[in-house]
Amino acid sequence: MFVFKEPGAVFFAVFGTLLVATELGFRAARRRSLALEASALSLLSTLEAAILGLLALLLGFSFSMAANRYETRKQVLLDEANAIGTTYLRRELLPEPERARVTALLRRYIDVRIEFYDRNRERADRAEATGREIQKDLWAEAVLASAKNEHPVSVGLFVSSLNDLIDLDEKRLVALENRVPETVFVLLVLIASTAAWATGHAAGRGNRRFTLEAAAMPFLVACVVAFIVDLDRPMRGFVRTGQASMVRTRAGMQAP
């Protein structure tokens, strides 16, 4: 099964596949020298319209799936930035020296979370591993502060926000892994190839080759499929989940 990862490679693969399907449909009609009755031509036209309608429906369905997942990733990123900011504010409720250590850990943590979106997967994986270690250190500091039992309510507020911070790390990973199934893309290419074959077959029945017109549908479909893949792969391509909320939170944490 073809692995849909790089949008550029997907565009050229789908565009080439649809061009070949169009040419095969054209040659099939020319080879058979079809001279069909009006009723048969009407039936073929109806089938071609049905295939194109099914293709449009599946394209819209796939785009909707990818767009919904993209919006979910943006929302989870915003929630995580807010959770980090809230935890940073509530660190003031901790006694010393835990407060100072937690401050340093949180400032390092948000830098690591921003690095997680690096295009280099090795650096991103290292950032995720480092983030998990910092979470353990933060929890250890919360346990130490709680053991003092001087301000249990204040420490409890900090622990609550820290728990949300840790949970949102896993939610963001799940959101990144929740992608449009590759079987949907395979089905999409299959139906698009059938539609391209039918378009070429219609041109062949008229014994006229429309070069630019025949390439228009494959080109547009390939563009849409590549964009869906780009939208569905936030760590690759051109469409990426913005880090503005994380950057603003980090700026607030660095301010005096």
Side-chain angles (χ1 to χ4, degrees):
M1 181 181 294
F2 181 76
V3 180
F4 293 85
K5 290 184 177 181
E6 297 294 343
V10 169
F11 169 79
F12 287 109
V14 174
F15 185 48
T17 300
L18 299 187
L19 283 180
V20 170
T22 303
E23 182 64 19
L24 290 176
F26 181 83
R27 294 189 179 187
R30 288 280 299 274
R31 186 169 55 252
R32 295 171 63 183
S33 300
L34 295 178
L36 301 177
E37 298 178 355
S39 59
L41 287 174
S42 177
L43 177 60
L44 284 177
S45 298
T46 302
L47 290 175
E48 291 163 3
I51 294 173
L52 290 173
L54 180 60
L55 174 61
L57 178 64
L58 188 55
L59 282 173
F61 172 73
S62 303
F63 180 82
S64 178
M65 289 180 66
N68 289 336
R69 284 160 171 75
Y70 176 75
E71 291 299 327
T72 299
R73 296 184 193 107
K74 288 178 60 178
Q75 184 60 50
V76 172
L77 180 62
L78 175 61
D79 292 342
E80 185 176 25
N82 289 335
I84 295 174
T86 301
T87 306
Y88 184 78
L89 291 176
R90 290 183 179 180
R91 91 209 185 282
E92 294 286 352
L93 302 175
L94 298 177
E96 292 289 0
E98 287 81 12
R99 183 193 307 168
R101 291 196 293 263
V102 166
T103 299
L105 286 171
L106 285 174
R107 287 175 176 174
R108 185 184 173 205
Y109 183 73
I110 195 167
D111 289 336
V112 167
R113 301 314 291 161
I114 293 175
E115 291 174 4
F116 176 71
Y117 275 88
D118 195 296
R119 289 180 181 269
N120 185 292
R121 290 310 308 154
E122 292 183 1
R123 288 197 291 269
D125 291 340
R126 285 198 300 269
E128 174 61 23
T130 303
R132 292 297 175 94
E133 293 299 322
I134 296 176
Q135 290 173 9
K136 295 178 182 178
D137 294 339
L138 286 168
W139 192 259
E141 295 295 337
V143 171
L144 289 175
S146 179
K148 293 182 177 181
N149 202 29
E150 296 177 355
H151 306 284
V153 175
S154 299
V155 174
L157 290 173
F158 172 79
V159 171
S160 176
S161 60
L162 179 60
N163 186 67
D164 292 339
L165 179 151
I166 295 173
D167 289 346
L168 281 165
D169 175 28
E170 182 63 25
K171 287 183 179 179
R172 186 167 71 161
L173 288 175
V174 172
L176 287 173
E177 295 168 354
N178 185 22
R179 298 172 178 172
V180 178
E182 289 188 358
T183 50
V184 173
F185 290 109
V186 173
L187 179 62
L188 182 58
V189 173
L190 178 62
I191 295 177
S193 299
T194 305
W197 187 92
T199 302
H201 197 271
R205 293 198 305 270
N207 199 24
R208 298 183 62 183
R209 185 188 296 275
F210 302 96
T211 305
L212 293 178
E213 291 80 355
M217 192 274 281
F219 176 79
L220 294 176
V221 172
C223 286
V224 174
V225 174
F227 180 74
I228 293 173
V229 172
D230 195 5
L231 196 64
D232 193 50
R233 300 296 191 270
M235 309 295 284
R236 302 171 182 268
F238 302 100
V239 181
R240 308 191 69 191
T241 306
Q243 292 274 70
S245 56
M246 280 287 189
V247 173
R248 284 193 294 267
T249 302
R250 179 175 63 178
M253 293 168 63
Q254 299 297 338

